[in-house]
Amino acid sequence: MGSTLALLSAVLFAAAALLVRRGMQGSNAATATVISIAANLLTMWTLALAVGAIERITLRPALTLLLAGMFAPALARLTYYESINIIGVARASTISNTTPIFNAVMAVPVLGETVSWRLAVGTVLVVVGLVLTVRPDRATPTDRPWAGALLALNTAVMASISFMLRKLGLRMLPDPAVASALTVTGSLITLLPYVWLRSR
């Protein structure tokens, strides 16, 4: 069952990336990010009100989760959508999915976790895949602009920071529905001033 859900999740992520690529043909990364996060906000708060324990929210975990939302989905999704616009869905998705590298590096000092040899080997393989993805082809040297690759890599870094903060927030507020709603709220709070300034 777990494998089936994981595969379904991967399919949905791929479908979302393709829809974003299509939607940005008449828009930009900032607008696409705000629209997607606004949809997330409505969904997550509906879920939180239905099954979450809203009364358990306190200041410290709330601020931690709001801060997590600033990094991802807000900043991470913004750079991810922009990287899709520059280098396409396949490359942007591959590079941005290097999040486990940064998770493994940060989990030890931040969360006190240990790195097993399997995780270390997996991290090395992810790095090798990243190098093969971003290395320009000789035949088409401009086919993979470094700007797009760096934006996608930044997506992975921002997501990793957010995951660390979410883990800390969940230790204080062990309610996934409410935690998700607070995280998405932090994203929208971050993005709205950016979109307003950009429009001016």
Side-chain angles (χ1 to χ4, degrees):
M1 184 62 179
S3 300
T4 303
L5 290 174
L7 181 60
L8 177 61
S9 177
V11 171
L12 292 175
F13 272 116
L18 292 172
L19 289 172
V20 167
R21 175 69 167 173
R22 188 174 185 86
M24 283 199 303
Q25 291 176 356
S27 185
N28 56 60
T31 303
T33 304
V34 170
I35 291 173
S36 66
I37 288 178
N40 291 158
L41 186 74
L42 178 62
T43 303
M44 295 316 303
W45 274 112
T46 300
L47 183 63
L49 291 170
V51 301
I54 303 294
E55 68 280 358
R56 296 177 62 183
I57 298 176
T58 56
L59 182 60
R60 189 177 176 188
L63 290 177
T64 303
L65 292 165
L66 289 172
L67 182 61
M70 182 185 77
F71 288 102
L75 298 178
R77 195 171 295 180
L78 185 64
T79 55
Y80 176 55
Y81 287 176
E82 191 61 48
S83 68
I84 287 177
N85 199 31
I86 297 173
I87 59 177
V89 173
R91 294 177 187 128
S93 298
T94 301
I95 298 170
S96 65
N97 284 330
T98 57
T99 305
I101 297 175
F102 305 101
N103 284 345
V105 171
M106 286 189 274
V108 176
V110 176
L111 301 176
E113 297 181 359
T114 57
V115 177
S116 65
W117 69 268
R118 292 184 180 87
L119 181 58
V121 171
T123 302
V124 171
L125 292 175
V126 171
V127 172
V128 172
L130 174 63
V131 171
L132 293 175
T133 301
V134 301
R135 189 178 64 179
D137 295 332
R138 292 181 180 179
T140 54
T142 60
D143 193 35
R144 298 172 184 171
W146 284 105
L150 289 174
L151 283 169
L153 193 59
N154 181 74
T155 298
V157 175
M158 294 294 102
S160 295
I161 295 172
S162 178
F163 291 154
M164 296 301 108
L165 290 169
R166 291 181 203 189
K167 179 67 174 180
L168 294 172
L170 282 168
R171 286 178 177 178
M172 296 180 280
L173 178 63
D175 189 319
V178 175
S180 298
L182 287 168
T183 302
V184 177
T185 302
S187 291
L188 198 61
I189 292 172
T190 302
L191 284 173
L192 287 179
Y194 169 79
V195 173
W196 179 75
L197 288 172
R198 179 167 177 159
S199 69
R200 293 178 64 85

